[in-house]
Amino acid sequence: MSDLVYPPVIALARTMFRLLDLRITIEGAEHIPATGGAVLASNHVSYLDFIFCGLAARPSRRLVRFMAKQEIFAHRIGGPLMRGMHHIPVDREAGLSSYRAALAALTAGEVVGVFPEATISQSFTVKEHKSGASRMAASAGVPLVPMAVWGTQRLWTKGRPRTLTRRHTPISIVVGEPLRPARRDNQTEVGAELHNRMSALLDRAQRDYPDSPAGPDDRWWLPAHLGGTAPAPSELAGEEEGA
C-alpha cells in the first residue's frame, strides 16, 4: 500500500507537538507487533485521539489505519487527508461494508485502530461498548491490543472550546498486553475483558498523570470520581450518541 500522505502528516504533527512542547509519554509500545495485522482499541476522550494513538505505533514502525465516521471523510480538507492515509470510513447505515474493509486491511497485515465506545466519552471514563473489536480480531486471527489516552481532552473535546495552542500539556498514552481472541471464544466475554483492561489502563494513566487542575474552574477535565466536574456516566445515559 502506497503511503505518500501519511508520513508527511505525521512529521507535521510532531513538529506542532514540539512547538507546543507537549509532554507526551508512551508506555507499553512494545505490545504493538512489528509485523502482521493487529487491532488497537482505545478509549475516546478527544477529537484528536487518533493522532496520539498512532504515535504509540511509531516504535514498531507501523502506520495505523483508523476507523472513523463517514462525516470526516466528507470534509473538504479532512476527507482527502483521511483517504490519503488509508483510514477506513464507517457508515453507520452500512456498517457491514466498513467491517469488511477493516477485515481486508487486517488480513493484509495492517494495524487497524478502533474506538469501541464509538463516541467521545464526556464522563472521561470508558463507556460500555459492543464486541465489534474482538469479533474483528478473532475473524482476522490477529491480536487485540488495548490502550488508553489521557490529557488529549484538554486540547479539544466535545462541548468545550478548542485550545490547540495550549502549551506544555501532558499527554499520556498507555498500551496494554494483547488479547488473542479466537473465533470459538464468546466474543461478548472477550469484549467485557477488553473493557476491563481499557478501564484499568485509563485508571493508571489518570493516577500517574503529572498535572492537576489550576483551580476550581479547571476541574472540568477530570472525571467525577476523581473530584472533577465532568458528568458522571449515569448522568449521560443515552445522551452521547453521535458525538
Side-chain angles (χ1 to χ4, degrees):
M1 184 181 293
S2 175
D3 278 299
L4 300 178
V5 176
Y6 216 147
V9 170
I10 292 175
L12 177 61
R14 294 183 71 205
T15 298
M16 289 300 299
F17 298 159
R18 285 194 294 270
L19 290 174
L20 294 174
D21 193 26
L22 298 183
R23 292 179 283 164
I24 301 172
T25 59
I26 302 174
E27 298 181 35
E30 69 275 7
H31 295 308
I32 299 176
T35 60
V39 175
L40 301 187
S42 176
N43 69 313
H44 199 10
V45 293
S46 166
Y47 293 112
L48 304 175
D49 287 338
F50 73 99
I51 298 175
F52 292 97
C53 289
L55 288 180
R58 280 187 55 78
S60 299
R61 300 181 182 276
R62 307 302 302 275
L63 296 175
V64 184
R65 317 300 176 179
F66 284 95
M67 300 186 75
K69 61 183 181 180
Q70 178 67 44
E71 290 84 347
I72 299 176
F73 290 79
H75 190 273
R76 63 185 181 87
I77 297 175
L81 289 175
M82 295 294 282
R83 288 187 289 273
M85 290 184 281
H86 305 292
H87 294 313
I88 302 168
V90 177
D91 184 347
R92 292 179 180 176
E93 301 300 321
L96 185 57
S97 63
S98 305
Y99 184 83
R100 287 174 174 168
L103 281 182
L106 290 168
T107 54
E110 298 282 353
V111 177
V112 172
V114 299
F115 297 102
E117 298 165 282
T119 61
I120 289 175
S121 170
Q122 293 177 268
S123 67
F124 304 139
T125 62
V126 180
K127 294 162 49 180
E128 293 300 324
H129 53 76
K130 298 181 181 179
S131 56
S134 62
R135 293 180 190 279
M136 190 186 305
S139 295
V142 301
L144 174 60
V145 185
M147 62 187 304
V149 292
W150 185 244
T152 57
Q153 77 278 15
R154 300 177 70 187
L155 300 176
W156 189 14
T157 192
K158 186 179 181 183
R160 300 287 306 187
R162 284 176 289 185
T163 53
L164 299 181
T165 57
R166 185 188 189 99
R167 294 176 56 80
H168 314 305
T169 303
I171 304 294
S172 301
I173 306 162
V174 187
V175 186
E177 294 186 9
L179 290 83
R180 299 186 181 276
R183 289 175 182 261
R184 65 179 179 275
D185 293 338
N186 182 318
Q187 299 307 323
T188 299
E189 294 178 358
V190 176
E193 176 62 18
L194 173 64
H195 182 278
N196 290 339
R197 293 196 186 192
M198 288 169 56
S199 295
L201 292 172
L202 180 57
D203 288 344
R204 176 175 153 195
Q206 292 170 338
R207 181 183 66 244
D208 297 340
Y209 194 66
D211 211 353
S212 301
D217 293 338
D218 192 41
R219 291 187 296 122
W220 64 267
W221 55 268
L222 282 181
H225 72 274
L226 292 180
T229 56
S234 59
E235 298 176 45
L236 293 166
E239 294 183 11
E240 295 183 318
E241 291 301 318

